[in-house]
């Protein structure tokens, strides 16, 4: 198995059993990569892997709950045993809160839950996978952010980002800030880390109210996952290019 894996790019996508995550996995699989489908729900994970394989992708399941230390450690061990390294990590898993999200009335447990998944979960998974990424010749990390996490856009008159968000949007701003710090720490390495804005995509995260398809939303993360060695790092991107922090 290790001999075969040396010939392929190895990727892990968290929250890949549905929506944008699934389409990212499908897109990376279409590049000929071996793609780990990270998901905590066993049946949905198995169904996603079967669907990807039926479409010709080299997909494998990775039991993964980004909020659980033991689960993340086990996922890293699985990839190490399977391939000995990881070339691309896409931190896609995320959750949203219930509306309304006005900061004056929001349930603090909602804030904690979103921070645990959308920020701490990314840190937890990234740190667990870094030893494997350091074994790669072309390591890439892509974090799934959002336009709503941009303080510049949030404070630009006339820009509509969907109303007040006292928890979800701030977690993406927090994630943006964390990514900048990772980029600083990893600046002396060959690891490129960037954040992606998928756009307003119709998924269960927003009650399928989005105007773009999951496949369209996956495009920017796929592009960042396949950056050349002289590509950018520590930046936020959407389909049109760099997004201001």
């Amino acid at each position: 198995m290790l001999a075969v894996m040396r010939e392929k790019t190895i990727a892990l996508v968290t929250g890949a059993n549905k929506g944008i995550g699934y389409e990212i996995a499908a897109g990376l699989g279409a590049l000929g990569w071996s793609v780990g489908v990270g998901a905590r729900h066993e049946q949905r994970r198995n169904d996603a892997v079967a669907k990807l394989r039926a479409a010709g992708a080299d997909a494998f399941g990775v039991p993964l709950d980004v909020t659980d230390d033991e689960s993340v450690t086990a996922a890293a061990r699985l990839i190490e045993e399977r391939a000995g390294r990881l070339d691309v990590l896409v931190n896609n898993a995320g959750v949203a809160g219930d509306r309304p999200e006005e900061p004056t009335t929001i349930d603090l447990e909602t804030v904690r839950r979103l921070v645990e998944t959308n920020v701490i979960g990314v840190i937890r998974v990234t740190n667990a996978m870094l030893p494997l990424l350091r074994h790669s010749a072309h390591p890439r990390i892509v974090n799934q952010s959002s336009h709503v996490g941009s303080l510049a856009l949030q404070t630009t008159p006339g820009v509509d980002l969907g109303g007040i968000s006292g928890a979800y949007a701030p977690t993406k701003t927090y994630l943006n800030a964390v990514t900048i710090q990772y980029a600083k720490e990893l600046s002396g390495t060959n690891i490129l880390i960037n954040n992606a804005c998928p756009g307003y995509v119709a998924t269960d995260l927003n009650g399928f109210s989005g105007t773009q398809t999951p496949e369209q939303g996956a495009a920017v993360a796929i592009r960042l996952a396949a950056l050349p060695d002289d590509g950018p790092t520590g930046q936020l991107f959407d389909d049109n290019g760099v997004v201001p922090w």
Side-chain angles (χ1 to χ4, degrees):
M1 177 64 74
L2 286 174
V4 173
M5 289 298 102
R6 291 192 188 99
E7 306 300 320
K8 288 197 170 191
T9 297
I10 313 300
L12 170 65
V13 183
T14 68
N17 63 293
K18 60 182 179 178
I20 299 173
Y22 175 86
E23 294 299 340
I24 293 172
L28 299 182
L31 296 176
W33 297 6
S34 181
V35 183
V37 176
R40 59 186 176 181
H41 191 288
E42 182 178 8
Q43 188 59 55
R44 292 174 188 165
R45 183 178 64 247
N46 292 342
D47 290 346
V49 169
K51 185 178 177 181
L52 288 166
R53 287 178 177 172
D58 179 10
F60 61 98
V62 180
L64 181 55
D65 180 348
V66 303
T67 68
D68 183 85
D69 289 338
E70 292 184 4
S71 174
V72 173
T73 298
R77 188 182 309 116
L78 184 155
I79 293 172
E80 182 176 19
E81 293 173 353
R82 178 183 177 88
R85 73 177 195 283
L86 182 64
D87 299 300
V88 173
L89 170 63
V90 181
N91 286 305
N92 168 78
V95 293
D98 299 323
R99 294 291 182 176
E101 258 197 27
E102 284 81 0
T104 56
T105 58
I106 195 168
D107 178 10
L108 293 182
E109 284 305 314
T110 296
V111 178
R112 291 188 182 96
R113 177 172 62 86
L114 268 61
V115 171
E116 180 63 44
T117 299
N118 298 352
V119 182
I120 297 175
V122 172
I123 297 172
R124 180 181 286 113
V125 173
T126 299
N127 290 351
M129 299 299 165
L130 268 173
L132 296 172
L133 287 161
R134 294 185 191 278
H135 288 309
S136 171
H138 313 282
R140 306 289 180 262
I141 302 172
V142 182
N143 296 329
Q144 197 72 283
S145 187
S146 170
H147 290 101
V148 302
S150 166
L151 293 178
L153 294 181
Q154 285 279 11
T155 55
T156 298
V159 173
D160 181 9
L161 295 177
I164 298 171
S165 174
Y168 179 75
T171 65
K172 295 303 181 180
T173 305
Y174 191 174
L175 177 60
N176 289 346
V178 167
T179 297
I180 291 172
Q181 301 308 313
Y182 269 112
K184 286 182 177 182
E185 184 177 354
L186 299 172
S187 62
T189 74
N190 61 348
I191 301 175
L192 303 182
I193 179 169
N194 292 285
N195 284 10
C197 295
Y200 191 31
V201 178
T203 68
D204 57 3
L205 201 71
N206 55 37
F208 299 97
S209 61
T211 56
Q212 293 176 274
T213 67
E215 185 176 7
Q216 291 172 319
V220 61
I222 294 169
R223 186 172 74 249
L224 293 174
L227 284 174
D229 290 341
D230 61 351
T233 191
Q235 296 189 52
L236 177 65
F237 292 90
D238 65 9
D239 286 332
N240 297 314
V242 176
V243 177
W245 294 113

